Each structure stands twice: as C-alpha cells, then as structure tokens.
Amino acid sequence: MRKIVLLMAVASLNAQPNRLWYRQAAAEWVEAMPVGNGRLGAMVFGGAVSERIQLNEDSVWSGEKRDRLNPEGLKHIAIIRRLLLEGKPREAEELAERTMIAIPKRLPPYQTLGDLQIEFAKVDGEPVDYQRSLDLETGLVNSRFTAGGVTHEREVFATAVHGVLMIRLTANRPGAIRFQATLTRPADATAATAGPHSILMLGEAIARDARHPDERRVGTGFAALLEARAEGGTVRSEAGRLHVEGADAVTLVLAASTRFRAEEPASTCRNMVRAVPADYASVRAAHRAEHEQLFRRVDLQLGSEDRSGIPTDERIRQFRAGQSDPQLAALYFQFGRYLLMASSRPGSLPANLQGIWNERLDPNWESKYTININTQMNYWAAEVANLPEMHLPLFDLVDRMRVTGRDTARRLYGTSGFVAHHNTNIWADTVPVDGAIWGTWMTGGAWLSLHFWDHYEFSGDRRFLEQRAYPVLKEASQFLLENLTDNGKGELLLGPSISPEVGYVMPDGTKGTMTMGATMDTEITRTLFGRVIEASQILGIDAGYREKLKAARSRLPAFRIGRRGQLQEWLEDYPEQEPAHRHVSHLFALFPGRAISPRHTPELAAAAARSLELRGDGNVGWSRAWMMSLYARLRDRGRAGAMLAALLREHTNPNLFDGCYAGRPLPFQIDANFGGTAGIAEMLLQSQEGEVEFLPAIPPDWKAGQFRGLRARGGLTVDASWTGGRLSQAVLTSSADGTQRVRVPDGLRVSAVRSRDQVVPGIDTAGRTLTLKMKRGERLELSFR
C-alpha cells in the first residue's frame, strides 16, 4: 500500500521536532515545563540545587456552591427590555446592575495547590553541561547536569494511568543523592509528617483578595501526600519535611485530592499512592503507552529545515528577529495538543482560563471559565486535532450547568430551558456576574451546547446525538425561543443582549453596551435553532417543536452591512466605543460558525473582512488566535500567517505559554495556545461546508510539508503532503459508512484514487468536487497533479 512520502529533508537522524529544550533552569514561572493528567498539574523549574515544582489540582477552588441569584431580576426583566427597545441603554444598564447581577457579584477564584520544594545537598563546583527538556510525545520532563564529577538525571511526569505525579532522581555515583523536600503554600495550608517516608499537606482554598469582599472565607478542603521511595541510603520524615541521605536513586510519588470529589481527601491520597507499583519502570512504561497512543494520532511537519537542535528559547528569539522557522509553528501546534491532553481528561474538570496551571491564590480573572469566548476557544481544536475524548469534561460541566441554568431561567426570566451567562466555575454557576455590561450576556449556555453538535458532526455517533447532544441543544433552544421579543417590525430579538465587552455610541453621543438583538446573539440563536431542526430530523422526533423553531428562525434579523462596508455588530449602524477592541463577536457566523463563507456568501464575507480590517490586529493573544481562524475561513493565507507570526513573536513565552498582552509574559491565558492550535488546523484542513478542503490558507512560507491524522466532519481522518505550495497526495480514512466530498484545489486535478494499491474505478475526477462513497474503515489514497 502506498504511503504519503515525507517531502522534506531531515537534517539529523536524531531530530526531535516535538521537544522543547533549554540550556538553563527556569528562572520564572513562564519558563517552567508543564505536565498534567487532566486533574493534577505541575510546573517543573528544573533547578539543579533548589528545585521548585509548582502544583495544581483542578478542583482547588475557593468559595462554595451557593444561591447568588438576584431576587429582583424577574420583576424588572420586562422593564429592562422595554428601555432597550426605546433606545435608553443607560437607564437599562443601571436597572440591570441593581436587579440582575448576582449577590455577591463576583465568582471566587481557582487557586494553586502549592509547591513541592526540594533542596539538594551542596556539592563542589558549579553544575555544568546542564540541559532540560519536555518531550511532548512521551509527556516526560527531564533535566541533566554534572556537578562535583557526578552526573544527575531527573525525570517528572503526571500519569493519567495512576493519577499521580512521579519524580525520579538518579545519579551515576552510588549514594550521591541527598536532599530535603517539603510541601508549601502561600496561605491556608500546613504540612506535617504522615509516616516514616511521607508528608501530608492539608489546607483549604479561601478567597483572600479585595475583589471578593462579600465571599465567605470558605473553599474546597484539600490534601497532598508526598512519599519518598529510596534505593539505598535512608529516608526519614520530620516536622513536615522529608530527609533523604546517601541514596542511589529516589522516586517521589505525589497525590492530591479535594472535598469536591472525596469526603476524606487525605485517605484518598493514601490510597492513590498505595496503588502505585513499586517498580518505577513499569509506572513509566504504562504512562508512556497511554500518552503516546493519544499524542501520536497526529503528526505535522512544516518546511525543510530541522531546527530542533537549537534551544527553544533561542528559536523564539531568532523568530522575533526575523528568522524563518515553519517548524516552530508545528511545535507550537503540537504543544497545544499536549496542553489539552494535560489539562482536560475524561473525569477531570474542563480546562479553565489557565488550563490547570496557576501559581497564585488570586489569579487574573479568577482563572475561571469565561464562556463568552475563552472556554469555547479552549476546545476548538479538540475534534480536528484528533483528541475528541478531551472534549468530554466540557460536556460534563455543561450537564451540571443545565441543572443550575434551569433554575436561573425560571427565577430570573420566568421561562423554561436553561441559560448561562458570561462566566461559570467549578460550581456550575449560571447567574449574571461582575456587572451589567458584561454579565447580562445570555447566550453562554447556547454557545456551549453547540460543542455537542461539533462532537457529533466529526464522529457521526448517532447514539451520542440522541442520548447526550440533543437534550442539551433542545433545552438551550427552549430558553432562547421563550426569550425572543417582537420589536414591532416583525423581527424577533433576543435580549437583554450584548456584543461581549464591546460598547457602542449612539448618534446623540450616548454610550451603551446592552441592547436588543446584538448580531452575535442572533447568529448563535439562528445556528442553534438550525442544529436542533437538523438533529430532530435525523432522529425523527419533535416535529411540532421543529416547526416552532423554523417559524421563529425565519423572523430573526438578517445580517446588516454598515456604511463603512463592515458587518454590523448591532442592529443599528453604531460606531464602537473602542474601534480596536479585542472581541470580534459579531463574526461568529464566519468562525466558529459557518453561515458566512467566501464561496456561498461573498458579500457577507467581504463585510466580515472589512470588520477585521477596521478592528486591527487584535492586540491580545487570544484575539489574534481567533483572527487566525477568521482569516483562514476567508482563505486569506497572508493575514492568517501574519496573525500566527504576531502570536509567536509578541505573546509566546520561553515555555510556549502565551501571555495575554503583547510583550508581557503575564498574565498567561491558555486560550491563545488552544486557539492558535485551532487556527493552524484551519489553515491546513477545513470541512465545514460539506466537503473536505485541503490547505485552504497555508502561509506563503509553508512551501512544503505534511500532516497525518487530522479529522474532518463526517467521520474522516485525513493525511496530506504538499511541495511548492501545491497538494501532491492525500489519504482519507472513514470511521462510518457514507458519501464524502472532496474539493479539488484550484489549478490541480485528481490523477488517481486508490484503495489497497488498486485504482478505484467509476469515480469522476474531472470536476472541482470529488464524490466518494466510503465504507467504515475504508482508506482511499488520492494523488494530485
């Protein structure tokens, strides 16, 4: 059977394209190496004499589950809508601030678990030949150096198989390992001896910063247990500190748990550590097998020059100075996949604003779930990048939000269905928070429900659609349907409505944020109604409800193009208070939606492009990541590539974490990493228009390359290779019976379609679209010329 030929030269047989490496230990948090198993995460600094491993457990949140709903909301919601329809946003916002916003108004933060501090005995001479690395393919962090004539090696990984953090310390001289280790936290925790070879830290996550004055001083109780397993030498535990002397090798096992999942976190930790086999090699092998079968589903090679022999921080500096490095983009893409594997696993909480990695008690934006773009962006790559299982924690959270969201819908709006606003947290809160100009946006639950449809569409799993996706989609649509308001002109408007975080200026100079029928909310409503209509037809159910949605959908406002040629953000052609704002929410229909496309709606696509032009270059990391995908959908490969270059040059830290603001390492927001990964995938492969499209927006400097294992809608896994910027070969593997359509790139034609090295007869290869009838498990190889 033919295989796609690797078209780029390999400079070295020892090339390791999926490896981050450095010649010095991390001095800052944004230089440390992340590991994680979905629930437990760590940032490994790699210090030779003093090692810091910063720790996180995904359920260490301050606060508590409580009723935050403002009891005045239901009495005033109709008045707020009337004021908005009358063009009185100031009065509406003032009333909404008093009557709709939660009590207390802010949600408490996600917090650090603490630090594992290891202080090694001093040796003669400074460490030399230092190197540390993170191998994305294996999930192993390594450091190696020589000091006093002894070579030390250290290895760290977070295993999803056993649910713990493993640290392995070895040296090439017997008895050379000596250190003290303890667990610390900035506040609200203490460590104590738990046994002859272990220490236990107990604590509680409590909100202590001034932003949460009304939050009770409570939070999730937690435990972390550290056990030392020495080969040779001695181990003792004393006053919350482990002492190791004269060991040949040491394995440290760390477990963590909270009361969110367990009544007795300390007992849970003991049981977890007890279940880890004594044989380190077997634990490592099990971790590698599990990790590698996920990571190696996808491979991406870009360009012809192998630069993996240059330290990663140096490559970033060179790229900023103008050095071409397509493989850096490939590394960044695979790093995003690695982060999703490390921060979102079946059974864990979904990735929050920082994934799971957070060193603070008071992180920016509480490191919670911001569901007016950021949480959704975290999962844009899950399906196309072949990690669909990592989507499941988000679905679990949404299922819990349905329960709280029903209560919010009934008590705040007087309707059925479920609603979520712009933020949520571990407790699945769905009430409006922070303030009226942010929190009254009411389509967070609707947008999240569309992720269930994406999962179905990529897999074709009818059982998932019937049992899990459809109930969520329908219930979200019920809330929107019952909250549409006739504007007296025959149109149905959703409201109160916001184009997230963007304000407008009325002709008389009045500034507002709240409105009725903002473009984004209409787009989400139209999209959701369409998905429920299609799903009900597939499942053969709810014909009556389907007709209600069709009737309402036909009365939603049409897209409007403004006097500047832009897609209007609001029903009226208002200018923005901040023209270069980071949010581009009114372009939802271009990406992640699909109602706008250059091929089918060229006038609207041109208006979307004009909106991007007026907005500028984004100015924050996640916004630039979103713009990558928007430009990719517009097939503007130059601008898509420019957004990726700006993200790498201005936001990417030495460890590839993305800072929110250009030129500033912190605050870190993981959505830029995930959005960047999704944007690269959109450049390589698109399938939202009912056909597979290869290389729709590859940047000009990606002249040669290949990818393997990306997924397309309809149950397809796709491989492709190209040279000179032209597609040469592709492979389609189907996971379901069905008809697949492939768009032939401009200027090319299909020269052959093969199955098992035999030409497949009867396929019309002359047109711009290739139609293929495929069986489950079938693999077809396409050649282009």
Side-chain angles (χ1 to χ4, degrees):
M1 181 180 292
R2 288 190 176 189
K3 297 186 182 294
I4 286 184
V5 179
L6 180 63
L7 297 174
M8 55 221 72
V10 178
S12 168
L13 292 176
N14 295 319
Q16 293 180 279
N18 294 321
R19 176 173 172 261
L20 286 66
W21 75 278
Y22 310 84
R23 290 195 174 103
Q24 69 285 330
E28 305 290 341
W29 190 82
V30 291
E31 298 173 0
M33 296 286 92
V35 296
N37 61 18
R39 188 183 55 79
L40 183 63
M43 296 289 287
V44 185
F45 283 65
V49 177
S50 178
E51 170 66 299
R52 178 192 178 196
I53 300 179
Q54 186 265 314
L55 305 169
N56 286 105
E57 203 275 354
D58 68 344
S59 59
V60 177
W61 288 68
S62 62
E64 61 187 329
K65 185 175 181 62
R66 62 185 291 185
D67 185 359
R68 298 172 181 272
L69 190 132
N70 192 320
E72 296 297 312
L74 182 58
K75 292 182 287 187
H76 293 89
I77 190 70
I79 301 172
I80 291 168
R81 286 173 176 151
R82 177 176 56 78
L83 289 169
L84 291 170
L85 287 171
E86 292 173 353
K88 299 176 180 178
R90 283 183 179 175
E91 293 88 339
E93 288 167 10
E94 290 171 0
L95 184 58
E97 187 72 33
R98 296 196 311 270
T99 65
M100 290 186 68
I101 298 305
I103 303 170
K105 68 188 298 182
R106 296 186 71 98
L107 296 178
Y110 171 66
Q111 294 188 340
T112 181
L113 174 64
D115 287 356
L116 166 58
Q117 294 285 165
I118 308 174
E119 302 297 330
F120 293 92
K122 292 183 179 180
V123 296
D124 295 333
E126 292 294 318
V128 296
D129 299 327
Y130 181 92
Q131 187 177 127
R132 67 184 173 102
S133 64
L134 165 60
D135 188 331
L136 303 180
E137 293 195 22
T138 63
L140 301 176
V141 169
N142 292 90
S143 60
R144 177 188 175 99
F145 61 90
T146 299
V150 180
T151 298
H152 295 263
E153 292 191 44
R154 296 164 188 169
E155 185 171 77
V156 182
F157 62 91
T159 167
V161 178
H162 293 98
V164 298
L165 185 72
M166 302 290 292
I167 303 104
R168 177 71 170 174
L169 313 171
T170 61
N172 67 350
R173 179 184 297 172
I177 299 177
R178 294 174 292 163
F179 65 86
Q180 296 182 21
T182 191
L183 296 170
T184 66
R185 193 173 193 264
D188 307 313
T190 56
T193 295
H197 299 156
S198 61
I199 56 175
L200 178 70
M201 181 172 69
L202 297 175
E204 187 174 14
I206 298 175
R208 291 188 170 275
D209 62 293
R211 294 173 299 175
H212 303 89
D214 300 317
E215 202 65 48
R216 293 202 313 142
R217 295 292 186 252
V218 295
T220 51
F222 59 82
L225 180 70
L226 180 68
E227 179 179 276
R229 299 173 176 180
E231 299 168 25
T234 62
V235 179
R236 76 179 193 277
S237 176
E238 184 178 296
R241 187 177 294 270
L242 286 175
H243 301 259
V244 176
E245 295 287 343
D248 305 330
V250 178
T251 300
L252 297 175
V253 183
L254 186 138
S257 180
T258 78
R259 289 199 183 95
F260 179 73
R261 293 189 176 97
E263 290 186 8
E264 296 291 339
S267 296
T268 300
C269 290
R270 292 187 183 95
N271 292 336
M272 292 174 69
V273 170
R274 192 178 299 122
V276 177
D279 179 23
Y280 175 79
S282 69
V283 179
R284 184 181 190 270
H287 159 75
R288 284 196 56 173
E290 191 273 344
H291 182 96
E292 290 173 19
Q293 66 88 15
L294 292 169
F295 185 87
R296 290 181 176 176
R297 290 174 181 174
V298 173
D299 182 60
L300 175 62
Q301 302 293 327
L302 298 172
S304 58
E305 182 183 4
D306 172 37
R307 295 175 57 80
S308 64
I310 302 172
T312 305
D313 51 346
E314 180 59 29
R315 288 176 72 179
I316 294 170
R317 285 193 291 270
Q318 291 178 8
F319 186 80
R320 287 173 178 161
Q323 171 68 51
S324 176
D325 193 349
Q327 273 291 338
L328 182 61
L331 178 65
Y332 179 85
F333 171 84
Q334 291 285 36
F335 183 65
R337 294 183 66 245
Y338 168 86
L339 292 178
L340 189 58
M341 288 173 55
S343 62
S344 184
R345 290 293 192 100
S348 78
L349 291 168
N352 63 46
L353 202 58
Q354 295 187 192
I356 49 173
W357 300 280
N358 164 39
E359 66 171 342
R360 293 171 53 182
L361 300 177
D362 59 342
N364 292 85
W365 305 288
E366 290 83 31
S367 190
K368 54 186 183 296
Y369 302 106
T370 304
I371 59 174
N372 65 10
I373 176 60
N374 313 87
T375 300
Q376 289 88 341
M377 185 179 287
N378 284 359
Y379 288 91
W380 282 350
E383 302 297 332
V384 67
N386 213 337
L387 294 171
E389 304 95 324
M390 312 314 154
H391 225 154
L392 299 180
L394 182 64
F395 302 157
D396 293 340
L397 177 60
V398 173
D399 283 341
R400 292 194 292 119
M401 291 169 65
R402 287 172 66 195
V403 177
T404 55
R406 286 182 203 122
D407 183 70
T408 302
R410 178 179 57 84
R411 295 169 58 204
L412 185 59
Y413 296 96
T415 62
S416 63
F418 92 97
V419 62
H421 294 84
H422 91 298
N423 271 192
T424 190
N425 58 6
I426 190 174
W427 315 114
D429 273 307
T430 55
V431 293
V433 299
D434 293 348
I437 63 173
W438 302 285
T440 55
W441 181 74
M442 60 198 296
T443 50
W447 189 355
L448 286 173
S449 74
L450 293 173
H451 280 249
F452 288 75
W453 176 265
D454 291 339
H455 188 74
Y456 160 72
E457 200 169 31
F458 274 88
S459 67
D461 185 344
R462 183 187 172 98
R463 178 178 295 181
F464 176 85
L465 177 64
E466 180 178 13
Q467 297 182 358
R468 191 145 197 204
Y470 185 73
V472 176
L473 292 161
K474 181 181 178 181
E475 194 168 9
S477 73
Q478 288 172 323
F479 173 79
L480 299 188
L481 182 64
E482 294 180 28
N483 281 277
L484 291 171
T485 300
D486 192 315
N487 67 351
K489 302 175 184 178
E491 294 176 318
L492 294 178
L493 309 181
L494 192 68
S497 180
I498 288 174
S499 190
E501 305 187 25
V502 182
Y504 56 84
V505 182
M506 299 173 71
D508 64 359
T510 298
K511 294 182 178 180
T513 301
M514 293 177 65
T515 186
M516 293 291 289
T519 299
M520 183 197 207
D521 285 348
T522 300
E523 292 173 10
I524 289 176
T525 303
R526 182 181 288 112
T527 300
L528 178 58
F529 286 5
R531 299 293 178 263
V532 176
I533 291 167
E534 185 175 353
S536 68
Q537 290 171 330
I538 293 169
L539 298 174
I541 58 176
D542 284 343
Y545 183 65
R546 184 190 316 149
E547 293 308 312
K548 289 181 180 180
L549 291 183
K550 287 181 179 179
R553 194 170 187 260
S554 69
R555 296 179 59 194
L556 295 174
F559 292 107
R560 288 164 163 78
I561 297 176
R563 62 185 180 278
R564 294 170 290 170
Q566 89 285 7
L567 191 72
Q568 284 185 198
E569 197 155 357
W570 302 277
L571 287 175
E572 304 296 332
D573 191 10
Y574 293 144
E576 308 88 347
Q577 293 181 30
E578 192 179 337
H581 200 280
R582 58 196 174 276
H583 281 263
V584 285
S585 304
H586 56 310
L587 303 185
F588 173 93
L590 177 62
F591 183 90
R594 67 185 74 165
I596 296 176
S597 80
R599 187 170 297 121
H600 300 295
T601 59
E603 186 179 6
L604 292 175
R610 176 61 174 154
S611 290
L612 284 170
E613 180 185 357
L614 292 169
R615 214 53 142 210
D617 287 345
N619 72 41
V620 298
W622 60 261
S623 181
R624 284 173 160 166
W626 192 353
M627 288 183 176
M628 285 171 59
S629 288
L630 290 166
Y631 280 117
R633 286 283 175 90
L634 290 169
R635 313 307 194 266
D636 187 338
R637 62 185 193 141
R639 293 300 298 155
M643 289 297 102
L644 173 59
L647 194 57
L648 291 170
R649 287 194 178 104
E650 299 180 34
H651 299 272
T652 300
N653 282 297
N655 68 353
L656 298 191
F657 273 179
D658 280 330
C660 181
Y661 302 113
R664 291 165 53 184
L666 294 169
F668 158 59
Q669 279 189 226
I670 204 167
D671 43 14
N673 287 98
F674 290 140
T677 295
I680 290 170
E682 287 292 318
M683 296 177 190
L684 296 168
L685 182 71
Q686 293 182 25
S687 60
Q688 71 279 357
E689 295 181 5
E691 56 190 23
V692 177
E693 185 172 0
F694 301 101
L695 314 181
I698 57 170
D701 61 336
W702 295 4
K703 299 186 186 306
Q706 72 166 13
F707 65 79
R708 173 184 54 78
L710 294 182
R711 297 171 77 227
R713 293 165 180 84
L716 285 177
T717 303
V718 182
D719 311 340
S721 62
W722 68 97
T723 185
R726 292 165 62 87
L727 182 68
S728 55
Q729 289 182 294
V731 175
L732 306 178
T733 304
S734 180
S735 64
D737 296 347
T739 299
Q740 307 291 351
R741 291 176 176 82
V742 174
R743 172 158 287 273
V744 180
D746 292 343
L748 295 177
R749 57 166 295 184
V750 177
S751 58
V753 178
R754 292 181 172 84
S755 175
R756 300 182 180 180
D757 290 332
Q758 301 297 315
V759 174
V760 179
I763 297 177
D764 181 5
T765 60
R768 303 310 310 151
T769 301
L770 193 65
T771 301
L772 305 169
K773 292 184 178 180
M774 298 185 69
K775 297 291 186 181
R776 178 184 176 89
E778 186 175 8
R779 172 187 169 99
L780 294 179
E781 301 164 18
L782 284 61
S783 299
F784 299 85
R785 62 181 174 84

